[in-house]
């Protein structure tokens, strides 16, 4: 059976990071989202952090409004911490999906997967609440069997496997560690599929790692932000997306 199409979700948080550096309204993350869609993004991801360091409440509302227009109609993936405040905003915004992520104020980015074992009961309540509102729930987890079992018990239809440790190991030239981490992702993707959970992946991906991970046929969506926004400085967002799409398609040809 051929591997399913691999969707590209573009995370536009760091367009907002640049905007906020000067306190004005340029560059506009919603404009970047629309440009990304024009250039082939299959969906838009944005993380409304508790400290609003990049995306703000009004960005999320505008994003939902703009990309849901019938002539555009692309899904919004709302990344959020599992807090009452964020659940209330998600219930009001009604994104296509909510990806629940861990959040620490002191971290530079999302450093690890959710503690789905320790937070099981709390996450189960939140997942059910979002599901009742018609929002697809995704859990950002470490690629481990325990996390997958917990995700299933929580009732999440989707998991997003955290690829950060693998990408970090490659960046630091730690070949053995990188192979080990990639092995964990491969096994976890296969297990998610067995459990009937839709499998996504993301964090720290670039052209090379996206090409490699595209070879795992159970993964149906990649969410990529920082690298694409950085690359856009040099070659522009449409060209960066086209190169990413080509890398993913190339990797997908070797899926199996
Ligand atoms: N997926 C999740 C759940 C994330 O938290 C992030 C970072 O915001 C990403 C994907 C994208 O990671 P990156 O910006 O490193 O591509």
């Amino acid at each position: 059976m051929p591997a399913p199409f691999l969707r590209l979700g573009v995370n536009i948080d760091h367009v907002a990071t640049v905007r906020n550096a000067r306190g004005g309204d340029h560059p506009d993350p919603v404009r970047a989202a629309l440009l990304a869609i024009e250039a082939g993004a299959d969906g838009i991801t944005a993380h409304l952090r508790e400290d609003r360091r990049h995306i703000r409440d009004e960005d999320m509302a505008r994003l939902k409004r703009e990309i849901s227009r019938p002539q555009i109609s692309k899904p919004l993936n709302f990344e959020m911490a599992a807090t009452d405040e964020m659940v209330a905003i998600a219930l009001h915004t009604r994104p296509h999906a909510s990806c629940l992520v861990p959040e620490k104020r002191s971290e530079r980015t999302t450093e690890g997967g959710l503690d789905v074992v320790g937070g099981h009961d709390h996450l189960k309540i939140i997942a059910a609440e979002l599901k009742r509102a018609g929002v697809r729930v995704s859990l950002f987890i470490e690629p481990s069997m325990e996390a997958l079992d917990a995700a299933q018990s929580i009732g999440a239809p989707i998991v997003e496997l955290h690829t950060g440790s693998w990408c970090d190991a490659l960046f630091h030239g730690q070949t053995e560690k990188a192979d080990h981490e990639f092995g964990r992702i491969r096994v976890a993707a296969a297990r998610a599929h067995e459990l009937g959970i839709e499998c996504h992946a993301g964090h720290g991906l670039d052209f090379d790692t996206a090409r490699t991970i595209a070879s795992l046929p159970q993964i149906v969506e990649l969410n990529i932000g920082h690298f694409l926004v950085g690359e856009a400085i040099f070659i522009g967002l449409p060209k960066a997306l086209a190169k990413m799409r080509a890398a993913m398609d190339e990797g997908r040809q070797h899926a199996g």
Side-chain angles (χ1 to χ4, degrees):
M1 204 180 69
F5 179 71
L6 180 58
R7 296 191 298 269
L8 171 58
V10 174
N11 180 317
I12 42 81
D13 291 351
H14 296 301
V15 177
T17 303
V18 176
R19 174 196 61 190
N20 296 355
R22 285 295 170 93
D25 59 9
H26 183 82
D28 176 14
V30 178
R31 182 177 165 199
L34 294 172
L35 183 62
I37 290 169
E38 231 179 87
D42 300 296
I44 297 297
T45 295
H47 185 178
L48 184 66
R49 292 186 76 103
E50 189 194 6
D51 62 9
R52 310 304 199 262
R53 69 174 72 158
H54 37 56
I55 294 295
R56 299 178 184 141
D57 301 56
E58 60 272 22
D59 295 327
M60 204 51 105
R62 248 179 354 113
L63 264 176
K64 170 70 197 319
R65 204 169 51 238
E66 292 295 326
I67 75 173
S68 305
R69 290 186 193 283
Q71 63 273 37
I72 297 172
S73 187
K74 289 291 179 205
L76 172 64
N77 178 27
F78 183 155
E79 268 184 34
M80 54 182 262
T83 61
D84 291 346
E85 183 200 15
M86 287 302 150
V87 171
I89 297 172
L91 293 177
H92 181 73
T93 308
R94 304 275 169 139
H96 173 78
S98 279
C99 181
L100 302 180
V101 301
E103 206 177 290
K104 284 190 237 124
R105 268 177 184 261
S106 57
E107 70 190 356
R108 258 189 298 186
T109 180
T110 316
E111 281 166 0
L114 269 173
D115 177 8
V116 273
V117 175
H120 176 280
D121 296 353
H122 172 66
L123 291 167
K124 193 165 181 159
I125 294 167
I126 288 186
E129 210 174 340
L130 290 167
K131 190 176 171 188
R132 271 196 302 277
V135 178
R136 298 192 82 213
V137 175
S138 165
L139 302 177
F140 189 44
I141 60 167
E142 289 298 318
S144 77
M145 295 303 115
E146 307 80 70
L148 279 164
D149 289 343
Q152 189 192 36
S153 161
I154 287 165
I158 310 169
V159 291
E160 180 166 325
L161 302 179
H162 196 311
T163 52
S165 300
W166 172 52
C167 294
D168 270 0
L170 284 172
F171 178 73
H172 291 106
Q174 300 162 328
T175 318
E176 245 174 69
K177 182 164 193 278
D179 288 349
H180 172 74
E181 292 296 337
F182 188 68
R184 293 177 73 213
I185 296 169
R186 185 180 339 97
V187 172
R191 178 71 181 143
H193 186 70
E194 271 169 23
L195 293 172
I197 301 177
E198 185 174 310
C199 191
H200 301 178
H203 211 282
L205 296 171
D206 60 13
F207 295 136
D208 290 336
T209 44
R211 185 184 301 106
T212 304
I213 208 153
S215 69
L216 302 179
Q218 301 88 357
I219 295 180
V220 298
E221 180 173 309
L222 299 182
N223 283 302
I224 310 180
H226 185 266
F227 176 79
L228 282 172
V229 172
E231 200 59 15
I233 293 169
F234 303 111
I235 62 174
L237 193 57
K239 215 165 170 187
L241 254 76
K243 280 184 79 171
M244 186 57 80
R245 184 73 257 169
M248 288 163 59
D249 290 347
E250 198 187 320
R252 207 54 158 179
Q253 281 176 6
H254 302 107

